[in-house]
Amino acid sequence: MSLDEMKRAAARAAIAFIPDNSVVGVGTGSTANHFIDALAEIKGRIDGAVASSEASAARLKANGITVYDMNAVDRIPVYVDGADEINRHLQAIKGGGAALTREKIVAAVAEQFICIADETKLVDVLGTFPLPVEVIPMARSHVARELVLLGGRPVYREGVLTDNGNVIIDVHGLQIAEPGKLEGEINQIVGVVTNGLFARRRADVLLLGTATGVQTYR
Ligand code: 5RP
């Protein structure tokens, strides 16, 4: 089974978690794209979606699914999104697609966060995947210096602007023993919008696509 087939299987398994008539939180990336395609097949039984990126909003609309502004929605029972790395406590690194801030906002509102991923994303310790940090452009050098003090090796993601008009710094070389602590420390740096650690609001369920089927972790 290819990685893409594992992503697709995990994405399709998430459909079982979607309540009728709900507004669904939808993430960003190749696994989330599989989820959008699966959601299109049941669009008659949902109200619509809130998207964590302009790219996902466009794909949802192209599939005939109503996309709501986050501020127009009272509740999101379920948010479905991928991850770049996730550990067995269901704490994740996200933001490989530069959508981390909107992803974090939708995850914060959602009552349940269902993470969908292929088996290569499950790790013992977070940090092999460089940690994305969304930064206000004028604070780029200041934030990079502060990230060095926290033990990381910051690398500016050239040529990328987020949907919010900000830049991304990817932090290499971290072995993240305490994800919740580091998440808070980085978010305290002036000029940081947010970072890609989803530890304080971790996933509630992980649907992991593997060679032998979809495994569920809670
Ligand atoms: C985007 C993300 C994605 O969830 C993450 O990068 C995983 O992507 P993919 O499903 O393509 O492996 O955080 O900002």
Side-chain angles (χ1 to χ4, degrees):
M1 191 185 264
S2 70
L3 282 186
D4 197 56
E5 285 166 339
M6 292 180 203
K7 290 181 185 197
R8 187 166 179 272
R12 295 189 76 80
I15 292 295
F17 290 80
I18 307 302
D20 287 351
N21 305 312
S22 61
V23 174
V24 183
V26 175
T28 298
S30 57
T31 319
N33 282 345
H34 282 304
F35 175 68
I36 293 171
D37 296 345
L39 200 59
E41 294 173 20
I42 60 133
K43 64 183 174 195
R45 74 167 179 86
I46 62 166
D47 182 358
V50 167
S52 68
S53 64
E54 299 297 338
S56 289
R59 194 178 183 100
L60 286 159
K61 286 177 192 164
N63 276 287
I65 297 169
T66 304
V67 176
Y68 290 100
D69 184 286
M70 182 77 248
N71 294 304
V73 168
D74 292 334
R75 54 182 294 256
I76 298 176
V78 176
Y79 172 52
V80 179
D81 198 1
D84 297 301
E85 281 185 349
I86 186 160
N87 66 21
R88 283 170 181 75
H89 303 290
L90 306 193
Q91 300 164 315
I93 287 181
K94 293 181 46 52
L100 61 158
T101 299
R102 294 190 187 192
E103 289 170 347
K104 217 173 240 200
I105 293 167
V106 183
V109 173
E111 288 152 36
Q112 252 203 322
F113 172 13
I114 313 289
C115 185
I116 50 176
D118 68 80
E119 63 185 6
T120 64
K121 305 293 182 67
L122 186 63
V123 298
D124 290 328
V125 179
L126 298 172
T128 301
F129 189 92
L131 176 64
V133 182
E134 179 162 351
V135 176
I136 303 287
M138 75 171 284
R140 192 179 97 202
S141 298
H142 165 68
V143 170
R145 287 189 291 270
E146 295 293 311
L147 289 169
V148 169
L149 295 178
L150 288 176
R153 187 164 49 82
V155 176
Y156 172 47
R157 203 183 292 181
E158 295 273 357
V160 172
L161 270 190
T162 70
D163 286 346
N164 313 307
N166 298 314
V167 299
I168 297 285
I169 294 176
D170 293 306
V171 191
H172 295 245
L174 296 171
Q175 285 282 303
I176 306 174
E178 295 178 277
K181 182 164 175 273
L182 186 65
E183 181 179 357
E185 284 170 350
I186 294 176
N187 284 347
Q188 286 302 314
I189 301 170
V190 172
V192 167
V193 179
T194 197
N195 71 81
L197 276 168
F198 283 60
R200 295 182 174 202
R201 201 292 176 244
R202 60 188 180 175
D204 300 294
V205 177
L206 167 62
L207 299 173
L208 194 71
T210 77
T212 53
V214 178
Q215 294 172 1
T216 303
Y217 294 76
R218 290 176 194 270

